[in-house]
Each structure stands twice: as C-alpha cells, then as structure tokens.
Amino acid sequence: MVFVGDEQFWDLVWPDVEGLVIDAVSVVGDAVCITLPARQRTVTCPSCGATASRVHSTYMRRLADRPLGGRRVLFRLRVHRFFCDNGPCSRRTMAEQVPSLTGRYRRRTTALARMVQAIGLAVGGRAGARLAGHLPVRTSRDVILGELRRLPDPPSAQGTVLGIDEFAFRGGATYGTVLIDVEARRPIDLPPDRTAGTVAAWLADHPESKVICRDRCSTFSQAASRAAPDAIQVADRWHLLHSLVRAVERTAHQHGVCLRTDAETGETDQRQQPSEPASLAA
Ligand SMILES: [Zn+2]
C-alpha cells in the first residue's frame, strides 16, 4: 500500500519538521515508511564554513522516528553529498543535514533521540530498553546509554550543601570519593582516591560549601576541619540509619539467648504492657 496524504495533515503530525515534503507513505509489516526528497541545494562545510553547492552523490538515509498509531515510523530520506571546493579545507565531501530532523552519524530523528534520552534519564539503560519495546521503539541498552552520553554536561554551579562519600572502582580494590550537590541531587566531582589530603585540596578550591554531609569516617572529618573549618558538618541520613541498623543487629545478637527463651516460654516483661482500660475489662 502506497499513498501520499494531505500535506496539512502531515504538518499536524510532525509540526517540528519545518517545510515537510513527502514523496510517498507505505505500510511495511509493523512500520510506516515515509519517503522524503532531498531538501538542500547548498550546505555549509562544517570544517571551513564555506558554502558548497556541487553535488558529489545522492543516497537514501534511513531514520527511525517516534511511533505513529502504534506502528514504528521509518523515514527514507534522500540526501545529497556535496563537495567542499574550498582549496585549503581538509574536508572533501559532506552530507546534507535537515534541521530538526537529522544529526550527524545518527540513525534516528532528533525527536526520537530526545524520547530515548528521556527514557534513559527516567529508568536507565536496561529497563529503558524493555520499556521502549512496549511503545514501540526499537532500541537497546547501549543505544540509550549512547544517547545519554550525547547530552551536554549540566551547569557546574555548586550549591552550598555538599555531600561526601566514598565509592569503589570496579572490583572494589581501590576507592575514590564522590562529591554531591545535595540540593541539586547530582554528583559534582569524583576525586580518584579517598585520602584526607585530596578531599581537603578539593574543599580549599571550592569554598562555597557551607554544610558538609558525611559519614562517620575520620578521614572526611579531618579534611573538612582542615580546609573548611567554618562549614557545618552533619551526618547524612543514610549513614545514621545504617549505624542504627548495625546497633540494633548487634544488640539483638548479644541478647539472642534471652530473646529465644522468652519466645519459647511465651513470657513477656509485664512492666512494658499497657494496663487494660477499666471500661473494656468490665
Ligand atoms: Zn570545507
């Protein structure tokens, strides 16, 4: 089945693609295949900035797009490859790119790439691949992680509340330090070790830290006292709960014999039992 619909309809479906022209639409299996003509008469060389208009060749580029009506969408985009005729330029040819639709070395549209990135940010690579299969979007854990790596780094402005903890490199043989902006809930830096000297040097370079959340390790305490003496040091919630759990486990282990005996005899400490209300006892 091959047909071309009303162009105004396609403009409603893809409002983010400027000047969309469609040659043909067909349904092949579970995919809607849309053929688009070449669009650019001239391109700008990404190396030297010169305008290129001499066509080297034409080929068909396949781009996956967001699903439509429960079907996968596949664009077949005819693109020109142009010569760069600027003599000193080291680049000989370049392919045309369609703004808001293509990206260099990408096999999915810009809109689908944004969707894959959003899935990856929400649930991660492996779970994201399973979720995408239900949408339906064909992708994999590696593709999702690759799209996340294309995202620009977030602004590096640091808040005034800093979290410090250690983390293990693979295998757990060596440890580094992870520094977290607690207010923004994101990592700031990963010093390669967990020594007091390294952490103190980092704190000296970042005097904006007013509150430092840390575990009870003396290394980080020494670093904070040395390099940020005015900062307030607090124990973070995870380590407080972790210490509480360990204390409860230790106490239960020490009194294991008495607890087992009480459980077997059914005896309880009557002093801890609330007295029965008179109205209920009557
Ligand atoms: Zn050039």
Side-chain angles (χ1 to χ4, degrees), residues 45 48 84 89:
C45 174
C48 67
C84 179
C89 181

Side-chain angles (χ1 to χ4, degrees), residues 24 63 172 179:
L63 293 164
L179 299 159

Side-chain angles (χ1 to χ4, degrees), residues 7 12-13 21 31 48 54 57 63 71 99 105 112 115 140-141 147 151 154 162 169 211 231 235 244 249 258 261 276:
E7 289 186 2
L12 289 175
V13 176
V21 177
C48 67
R54 191 159 64 95
S57 56
L63 293 164
R71 295 178 188 271
Y105 309 118
L112 180 60
M115 177 188 282
S140 67
R141 169 181 175 270
E147 285 294 345
L151 288 170
L162 178 72
F169 290 99
V211 178
L244 174 62
E249 285 178 345
C258 348
T261 304
E276 196 171 7

Side-chain angles (χ1 to χ4, degrees), residues 33-38 58-65 73-81 94-99 101-110 147 150:
C33 299
I34 300 167
T35 305
L36 307 175
T58 302
Y59 65 97
M60 196 67 84
R61 185 173 175 183
R62 295 158 62 91
L63 293 164
D65 193 45
V73 172
L74 188 65
F75 282 125
R76 290 172 173 159
L77 175 64
R78 193 179 300 278
V79 295
H80 291 321
R81 177 167 285 279
M94 75 228 66
E96 67 170 294
Q97 301 292 336
V98 180
L101 192 63
T102 66
R104 296 183 68 193
Y105 309 118
R106 258 193 179 134
R107 289 191 286 183
R108 59 197 61 82
T109 62
T110 307
E147 285 294 345
R150 285 173 174 255

